[in-house]
Amino acid sequence: MTVFVLALLAGALVGLALGALGAGGSILTVPALVYLLGFSAAEATTTSLVIVIVTSLTALVAHARTGAVRWRAGLLFAAAGLVPAAVAGALSAHIPGTVLTLAFAALAVTAAGKMLRRRTPHRGGRVSGVRAAGAGAGLGTVTGFLGVGGGFLAVPALVTVLAVPMSAAVGTSLLVIVANALVALAARAHTAVQLDWAPIMPFLATAVLGAWDGRRLAAKVSAAVLQRVFGCVLLAVALAMAVSVAL
């Protein structure tokens, strides 16, 4: 199978996940770039930010058109993560590829665990500014280091910490993802990583289309079913990454 076809297929899966769940798609991007398209860990995490930004913006527009974005809550949450995302993004270039891969595998297991849970987080009664700042900073750090949007962390945090209803949490998480990813990418501008646009463009094309399809899919299939499917995919990805490091 050619690199072009692999890029198309991987991009479609990433877009579907982001559009349907506001989570899970970006954490599939890095392993797809490394194991299917032959990118190094540093190249993959930087390229992932580009893909995450474009795809998340597309999905954000789709959710915003239905009024499912809480702009004020999303911007407040994102603001707390901007500085950590910039610092982590600048430091990531100095982290060995093996360490990044193992950290990514651990993150994938965490994300899978959250997705496979059937329990839906409940709305918090009172919003804590300290908790909101802490959650936003943590998400920004993850985005900066590993090149992922962190939607699987943002959605439950928005619900439990900022009292955003589940009906708007997915769309709002996309706003947070875009803000953090933009800052993290800017922090990496000084690095020597060169982007290979030949596989990136078909990946982006199907990711954008998949994001629109994912938004429609979310209206037809229950969130619980979608989460379990993507959770199983993430577990398989984490296992494959851990095995590759061990070998």
Side-chain angles (χ1 to χ4, degrees):
M1 190 177 294
T2 67
V3 170
F4 180 80
V5 174
L6 288 173
L8 290 175
L9 294 175
L13 180 60
V14 166
L16 277 173
L18 273 172
L21 300 173
S26 56
I27 204 172
L28 293 174
T29 303
V30 170
L33 292 171
V34 172
Y35 297 105
L36 295 181
L37 304 181
F39 284 52
S40 69
E43 292 169 342
T45 52
T46 300
T47 302
S48 174
L49 288 170
V50 176
I51 294 171
V52 165
I53 290 167
V54 176
T55 309
S56 297
L57 272 174
T58 302
L60 175 62
V61 170
H63 283 269
R65 290 177 65 181
T66 64
V69 178
R70 296 293 178 89
W71 297 97
R72 183 174 181 276
L75 290 173
L76 287 173
F77 191 84
L82 295 183
V83 172
V87 174
L91 292 176
S92 64
H94 305 289
I95 306 297
T98 300
V99 174
L100 287 175
T101 300
L102 288 175
F104 213 99
L107 191 64
V109 171
T110 302
K114 288 183 176 292
M115 287 189 173
L116 290 172
R117 287 180 189 171
R118 299 186 180 184
R119 183 176 57 195
T120 299
H122 297 288
R123 286 183 57 177
R126 187 172 60 182
V127 176
S128 166
V130 174
R131 288 180 62 202
L139 181 64
T141 301
V142 170
T143 300
F145 266 124
L146 300 178
V148 301
F152 66 93
L153 297 173
V155 171
L158 285 167
V159 173
T160 58
V161 179
L162 293 185
V164 174
M166 276 302 297
S167 59
V170 170
T172 306
S173 76
L174 291 166
L175 173 62
V176 177
I177 288 169
V178 170
N180 283 337
L182 279 170
V183 172
L185 183 62
R188 293 173 182 233
H190 68 283
T191 65
V193 174
Q194 298 295 320
L195 300 184
D196 184 359
W197 291 101
I200 293 174
M201 293 309 294
F203 195 117
L204 265 176
T206 52
V208 168
L209 292 175
W212 285 99
D213 290 337
R215 178 71 183 95
R216 289 192 288 267
L217 182 65
K220 299 178 181 178
V221 181
S222 75
V225 171
L226 290 171
Q227 286 179 357
R228 285 195 289 273
V229 170
F230 284 110
C232 290
V233 172
L234 282 178
L235 280 179
V237 167
L239 178 60
M241 295 182 82
V243 169
S244 71
V245 172
L247 296 177

